[in-house]
Amino acid sequence: MKKTVILLLLVLSTKGYSQFAKSMFSKDPIINLENWQKQRLYFGYYLGFNSFDFKFDYKNPGPDIQVKKTTGFNVGVVADLRLQEYINLRFEPGLYYTKRDLYYPNMALEKDYLREVNSTYIHFPLLLKFSSLRTGNIRPYLVGGMSTTLNLSSNSKSQDDNFEGKFRVKPWTAAYELGFGIDIFSEYFIFSPSIRGMFGITDELIRDNPAKGPSPWTDNIDSMKSRAILINFTFH
């Protein structure tokens, strides 16, 4: 009985793989969701990963602040509006979580040289998607646009600053984004992996209170802007 069940599973999986291969990679593939891209408006959702960094510009030469990056996660929804056959307008609001550790090499004490920056972002990107001609069930695309982000963990209203061990950033920031991806048309849905770079254009640092004296954490920073690599797996 067990041998019969195993044999049946092997036959079904082999059949399923052959159908998938034929629909995706054969010379004459089965065209899935042929009229999907003709829709005026459609929706989806995405899951993904991120790696955020900071770009520092300094007022005077000195030791660079070292940034230790970690891998965060993204989750959100997609609204896609077709403007014409090869251009779509996309709105992709989502929740992004990330963490960065800042190391100040000129500090002697551990409580002074390490600052943890935990960020929970509500991300609002408005993007243009430029698609190529569809080949079978594959359609590459380029994407780019602007985004604004609300940092729920900014500590911007706190009266404490780095003298009390609290690193503060502004709640709202802006950035531009560029990337590419591939629409893969299956029988029932579109799977769309993509990778994007996000480049901050606004300074997000809140300086320490000057009444407390010179700050070794913020005084020499002319600007601090977020940069990130975003990898999303979208389903329509």
Side-chain angles (χ1 to χ4, degrees):
M1 180 66 180
K2 290 183 179 179
K3 291 183 178 180
T4 304
V5 172
I6 292 173
L7 181 61
L8 181 61
L9 290 174
L10 285 173
V11 170
L12 290 175
S13 62
T14 303
K15 183 179 179 181
Y17 175 77
S18 63
Q19 289 178 344
F20 175 79
K22 183 178 180 181
S23 65
M24 292 291 174
F25 306 113
S26 66
K27 187 176 180 180
D28 187 21
I30 299 172
I31 302 300
N32 297 320
L33 303 177
E34 187 172 2
N35 295 317
W36 180 278
Q37 61 203 42
K38 297 179 181 179
Q39 294 184 77
R40 181 68 174 171
L41 177 67
Y42 60 87
F43 301 92
Y45 67 92
Y46 62 86
L47 306 169
F49 305 97
N50 65 65
S51 178
F52 274 78
D53 192 2
F54 281 123
K55 179 182 182 298
F56 290 97
D57 291 320
Y58 301 98
K59 296 177 182 177
N60 301 301
D64 289 347
I65 301 169
Q66 305 299 315
V67 183
K68 180 182 177 183
K69 299 172 286 186
T70 60
T71 301
F73 67 88
N74 326 320
V75 59
V77 296
V78 179
D80 190 294
L81 176 67
R82 183 172 65 88
L83 301 180
Q84 59 107 317
E85 186 176 359
Y86 299 105
I87 302 177
N88 293 54
L89 181 65
R90 293 169 71 89
F91 182 50
E92 301 184 359
L95 182 68
Y96 288 54
Y97 175 78
T98 189
K99 179 179 180 291
R100 286 157 286 188
D101 292 334
L102 305 183
Y103 292 92
Y104 289 81
N106 56 340
M107 299 293 190
L109 300 177
E110 182 177 355
K111 69 181 184 68
D112 292 331
Y113 76 69
L114 173 63
R115 288 293 179 265
E116 295 183 354
V117 185
N118 294 293
S119 301
T120 302
Y121 293 123
I122 301 180
H123 191 54
F124 303 99
L126 188 63
L127 309 168
L128 283 174
K129 175 184 175 184
F130 301 90
S131 300
S132 69
L133 186 66
R134 177 172 172 173
T135 304
N137 290 307
I138 303 294
R139 196 180 197 195
Y141 62 85
L142 298 175
V143 66
M146 301 296 296
S147 62
T148 185
T149 302
L150 172 62
N151 188 351
L152 301 178
S153 308
S154 68
N155 294 321
S156 60
K157 295 183 179 180
S158 174
Q159 297 302 310
D160 294 335
D161 56 19
N162 280 292
F163 289 97
E164 289 78 34
K166 186 160 291 188
F167 194 89
R168 301 177 299 170
V169 295
K170 297 173 184 176
W172 288 97
T173 56
Y176 68 91
E177 302 186 19
L178 296 170
F180 64 91
I182 302 174
D183 286 333
I184 303 173
F185 295 80
S186 70
E187 187 175 355
Y188 301 106
F189 62 90
I190 299 173
F191 173 57
S192 181
S194 65
I195 181 168
R196 291 206 305 271
M198 190 189 82
F199 307 92
I201 57 177
T202 55
D203 177 25
E204 58 189 278
L205 177 66
I206 296 178
R207 273 71 183 174
D208 294 333
N209 187 349
K212 298 179 181 180
S215 171
W217 297 278
T218 64
D219 280 1
N220 195 39
I221 298 175
D222 189 45
S223 69
M224 184 185 78
K225 302 173 184 177
S226 283
R227 299 182 297 185
I229 295 175
L230 312 175
I231 299 175
N232 287 333
F233 303 98
T234 305
F235 300 86
H236 296 293

